[in-house]
Amino acid sequence: MSYSAGRRVVVTGLGAVTPLGVGVGALWQGLLEGRCGIRELEGEEFAGLPVRVAGTVPVDPAGLLPRARARRMNRAARFAVLAAREAWRDGGFDGAGTAESGLDPARVGVSAGAILGDASVLVAGDRQLRDRGPRGVSPLTTPMCVPSQAASQISLDLGITGEARTVTSACASGTEAIGQAVDRIRYGRVDVALAGGAEAVVTPAIMASFAAMRALSRHGLYGTGQSPSRPFAKDRDGFVNGEGAGFLLLEAEDHARARGARIYCEAAGWGLSADAHHMAAPDPSGSGVALALRRALADAAASPLDVVHVNAHATATVDGDLAEANALAAVLSGRRVPVTALKGSLGHLQGAAGAVEALATALTLHHGLIPPTIGCADQDDAITLDLVTTTPRPLPTDGDLALTNSFGFGGHNAVLALRRAA
């Protein structure tokens, strides 16, 4: 049974800033070539950490924005604005904003996912207070440390007045933000939305905390083509922290077709659930994940037989990957659906992960090509998924739906269902 009603929603633009570079082209080409954007962390502040690798963006985003604007944005917001601008222009709109694009600004929205946004701002403010006293603390500290800064800065940049929403649901934030935007369009609240996520939490304290949880991979960078993030592999031992942003331009289908927009795919449905199991560990049964998967299929008016591809969350934790694999096997009734997992290339982009992975899934449907999973040289025998590795694989033609999964600390589960454009 379908829960959906109202207008169909389509994807008409894409934008990304990731460890593989700035722009969707750098992301897609890097994924297809099996490149790894995970790097050694340099700098004195990281020297004493037990884990010193992360998926970091290879350029300073401040240098790609007007100086006066950049200094009022935290790092995550800079990523977000760059990605949102790319998606906006990719969709055929004027980069100057909504009014210049002939849109009613009140009929356009922003929906951004973030866990913390930029964790370094509050740390810097505390350091300024200790070193220089109250007068040394920047007045920008508070507005720059809130997770909602990415959404507000996109709104400011493009003159979007319809709404600027922020979703915080751990590592499912970006995916849920897209789902929320789908509903806002579907039910007529807005006609167009920029939806995705942005995160910049590669900081010493966050890295130390994840390491103390024993959540981070202890694999190092051993040479060209090697990744310490090893989704679904026998030797997986934890995730690799990362940063970046991804945004999709979503539109009501009738709105997009009226202006002759290129359509990447349909945002057909989405599903949420909660494990109610543990503050950090996933439910090993995978029942919460399976519920989100089934709800996404129902919302898209689809069945498991329609699924042609899955972009897995697969952070390369021992329990998390197994729970996801078991849930997929149960929901898909053992069908051999090709699966890819991108965190070997990117690391785990936290609140932005689901958005970047949804973007890659849209490209997979659009180009008919599945990028490979890197880092999994030897797949876990307990995981029976049809994992795409080594080289890209053509997308099968016997279905039209792709699922992209995100699961977060605290049991947050979110799944998007994207449908091949007709």
Side-chain angles (χ1 to χ4, degrees), residues 161-228:
T161 64
E163 55 190 38
R165 303 158 61 85
T166 300
V167 175
T168 301
S169 53
C171 308
S173 299
T175 298
E176 184 174 345
I178 296 169
Q180 296 281 4
V182 168
D183 277 355
R184 300 300 285 175
I185 296 171
R186 181 186 277 171
Y187 301 121
R189 304 300 190 266
V190 293
D191 300 316
V192 179
L194 282 162
E199 204 80 73
V201 292
V202 182
T203 66
I206 296 294
M207 293 291 294
S209 174
F210 282 147
M213 293 171 62
R214 298 184 179 180
L216 294 181
S217 173
R218 296 299 183 105
H219 294 302
L221 291 167
Y222 302 125
T224 303
Q226 296 293 323
S227 175

Side-chain angles (χ1 to χ4, degrees), residues 187-338:
Y187 301 121
R189 304 300 190 266
V190 293
D191 300 316
V192 179
L194 282 162
E199 204 80 73
V201 292
V202 182
T203 66
I206 296 294
M207 293 291 294
S209 174
F210 282 147
M213 293 171 62
R214 298 184 179 180
L216 294 181
S217 173
R218 296 299 183 105
H219 294 302
L221 291 167
Y222 302 125
T224 303
Q226 296 293 323
S227 175
S229 176
R230 301 179 180 181
F232 299 125
K234 281 184 179 179
D235 61 348
R236 69 188 186 278
D237 67 342
F239 69 83
V240 173
N241 194 18
E243 63 177 8
F247 277 83
L248 283 65
L249 182 66
L250 303 175
E251 284 185 69
E253 184 185 31
D254 56 356
H255 188 279
R257 294 199 183 279
R259 67 183 187 88
R262 176 209 37 231
I263 294 174
Y264 284 102
C265 63
E266 179 190 354
W270 66 298
L272 295 176
S273 71
D275 280 357
H277 174 74
H278 189 272
M279 68 176 290
D283 183 343
S285 74
S287 59
V289 171
L291 178 59
L293 288 163
R294 291 189 176 102
R295 284 177 168 170
L297 289 171
D299 196 42
S303 82
L305 295 176
D306 298 313
V307 178
V308 71
H309 170 56
V310 177
N311 192 304
H313 180 61
T315 62
T317 60
V318 174
D319 294 337
D321 283 16
L322 186 58
E324 182 177 12
N326 289 340
L328 285 169
V331 171
L332 299 176
S333 301
R335 290 181 59 234
R336 298 285 290 172
V337 173

